[in-house]
Amino acid sequence: MSRRSLISEALASALNDPAPPPATSEPTPAAPRTNFTNKRLEAFGEAARIVKRPTIRLKPSECSVWPGNARDYSMLDEHRLRSLIDSILAEGSNRVPAVVRRTPNAELPYELVTGTRRHWAIAWLNANHYPDIELIAIIEDLDDEAAFRLADIENREREDISDLERGMNYKAAVDNFYGGVQLRMAERLKISKSQLSRYIALTEIPPALVSAFHSPMDLQAKYAEKLLPLLRDPAALAKLEAAAEQIASEQSFRRSGDEQPIAGPEVMARLLKAMVAKGRVQKAAIESPVGAAIGQVEKDQQKILTLSLSPSDLSVDEILAVLRPIIERAKICTAKRR
C-alpha cells in the first residue's frame, strides 16, 4: 500500500467525521484528538484550516494547473497513474479532494493547487469513455506563498517526485517568496537548511550530466555533494561531460532493446571514475624462462599494476615464479617485512 500524504489523510478523516453533537447546558470535556496525522498538521496552518471545507464538483477542463507545484505535469502518463485511474473508476471519483482557488481574471475559473495526479487521471478518464466523472475539490483563498506551502506538505510525502523536481521547485520558491534566503524558507517549511540546500544544489548540475541517468528519479540529492565541486574545474567538467555522453548513449541503446537501464549508483560511480587520471602508462612483456611472451604488465603513475596473461603451456607454479620478480620490482607492496 502506497504512503498517503498528510494532507490527504486529514482531508479523508475530516470528510468521514460525524457532525458534532449540539451543545448542552452541562458542558462535557471534549476528548483530545490523538491522531498522529493531526498532531503533525498542527504545524501547518493552511492544512489544518481546510480539512472541514465543503467540497464542489467540477471538470478538470475548468482548472488550470498552478505552475508553483513541484510535480511536472508533463511527465504524468497512463502507465504511471494506472492504479489511481483504476481507483477513481471504481469509486466514481477521487475520494480525497483536490484543492483549488478561484481565478476571476483568468481564462478558466479555477486553478489547481494540490491534486495534480487526481486532476490528470480524471481528465484522462473524461477523454477515454468516462465523460461524467468529475473532480471533487475544495476551494481555498490562498496567495502564492501559502499555496506553495500547502502543496509542499502534500508533495513531501510523495515518493514519485524526483529530488530534481523538488530542487527546481524549491529554487524558484526561495527566490519568489523568501527573498533568496534559504534559512528563512527552511524555517517557514519546517525543514533543515542542509536538506533544503541539497535539493537546490541539484539544479546546478548541467543537463548533459542529468541525461546520463535513466530517469530524473535516479538523480538523488546526495549526488550533488560529490559532483558540484568537480564542476568548478573546466578540465574536470569536460571529463564528466564526455563520460556522461557515453553513458547516455548506452542508456538509449538499452531502452531501444528493452534492456535494464544503468542504475543511478552505477552511473554515479562511472562519472567519478572518469575523474581518475591514469597518466603515463608503462608497459612491458611478461616472458617465460625460455623467452616466450606469456602476457603483459602495465603500471601507471599511481603505481597501479595490471597483469594480462595469455594461454601457455606453463604450470601455475611456473607462472607464479615468473610473476614474483615483476611484482617485487614494481614496488607496490607497502607492508613492511619483519
Side-chain angles (χ1 to χ4, degrees):
M1 181 178 180
S2 60
R3 296 170 59 194
R4 297 168 54 196
S5 68
L6 299 178
I7 183 65
S8 300
E9 289 190 12
L11 287 168
S13 174
L15 292 173
N16 294 328
D17 280 348
T24 61
S25 56
E26 295 183 6
T28 57
R33 298 291 297 272
T34 57
N35 181 275
F36 173 75
T37 300
N38 287 335
K39 288 182 179 180
R40 289 281 304 273
L41 284 170
E42 289 177 2
F44 303 96
E46 282 70 33
R49 182 166 55 83
I50 72 171
V51 293
K52 291 184 182 289
R53 291 281 194 181
T55 61
I56 62 169
R57 289 178 175 267
L58 49 85
K59 289 291 185 182
S61 58
E62 297 179 78
C63 299
S64 60
V65 178
W66 183 51
N69 194 296
R71 190 182 296 280
D72 187 345
Y73 196 87
S74 65
M75 292 183 64
L76 300 180
D77 55 36
E78 180 188 358
H79 175 74
R80 189 172 176 181
L81 300 184
R82 186 69 257 175
S83 61
L84 177 61
I85 291 171
D86 292 341
S87 174
I88 290 174
L89 188 57
E91 299 190 22
S93 191
N94 52 303
R95 183 171 57 84
V96 178
V99 176
V100 300
R101 59 182 180 180
R102 290 188 176 90
T103 52
N105 299 322
E107 181 179 350
L108 299 177
Y110 300 103
E111 186 175 53
L112 189 80
V113 176
T114 71
T116 311
R117 296 168 74 253
R118 283 155 275 172
H119 180 278
W120 194 99
I122 293 177
W124 186 90
L125 286 167
N126 287 173
N128 290 272
H129 313 301
Y130 298 94
D132 296 330
I133 295 181
E134 295 178 311
L135 178 70
I136 298 177
I138 292 171
I139 301 175
E140 266 297 299
D141 182 16
L142 302 168
D143 61 23
D144 282 349
E145 193 270 344
F148 164 71
R149 284 189 288 128
L150 181 59
D152 181 63
I153 294 170
E154 179 170 77
N155 289 336
R156 211 181 300 173
E157 295 296 309
R158 299 288 187 186
E159 296 181 347
D160 62 339
I161 296 181
S162 69
D163 288 353
L164 183 58
E165 284 177 292
R166 295 184 198 277
M168 295 176 67
N169 183 237
Y170 284 165
K171 182 178 181 180
V174 73
D175 293 332
N176 293 336
F177 308 135
Y178 305 102
V181 181
Q182 291 188 20
L183 179 59
R184 184 186 305 171
M185 178 173 168
E187 291 175 346
R188 190 74 165 142
L189 297 184
K190 301 189 184 322
I191 62 176
S192 69
K193 184 178 181 298
S194 61
Q195 181 182 10
L196 177 61
S197 297
R198 281 194 294 271
Y199 282 125
I200 293 178
L202 272 182
T203 65
E204 299 181 33
I205 297 178
L209 269 63
V210 175
S211 66
F213 293 86
H214 169 68
S215 162
M217 297 296 295
D218 292 342
L219 182 56
Q220 300 179 25
K222 63 183 180 181
Y223 295 162
E225 298 177 1
K226 295 182 178 180
L227 290 176
L228 289 183
L230 301 174
L231 299 178
R232 301 185 183 99
D233 178 4
L237 176 59
K239 291 181 180 180
L240 285 172
E241 289 181 338
E245 183 179 0
Q246 181 178 353
I247 297 170
S249 177
E250 291 183 38
Q251 296 280 30
S252 178
F253 180 80
R254 292 191 180 201
R255 280 193 292 269
S256 64
D258 292 329
E259 297 181 41
Q260 286 293 322
I262 305 172
E266 184 180 347
V267 171
M268 189 64 188
R270 288 179 59 173
L271 289 174
L272 296 178
K273 185 178 180 180
M275 302 307 302
V276 179
K278 293 185 178 180
R280 188 169 60 89
V281 177
Q282 300 176 359
K283 299 181 180 180
I286 302 175
E287 296 180 350
S288 69
V290 296
I294 62 170
Q296 180 176 270
V297 58
E298 297 180 359
K299 179 183 176 184
D300 63 22
Q301 290 183 338
Q302 295 178 311
K303 295 185 178 181
I304 296 177
L305 205 65
T306 303
L307 301 174
S308 303
L309 297 177
S310 304
S312 71
D313 295 331
L314 299 180
S315 66
V316 173
D317 289 338
E318 289 172 327
I319 292 175
L320 292 176
V322 171
L323 294 180
R324 183 179 183 87
I326 294 175
I327 295 172
E328 289 178 342
R329 286 196 302 269
K331 298 180 180 179
I332 62 172
C333 299
T334 58
K336 294 182 179 180
R337 297 179 179 176
R338 294 182 179 273

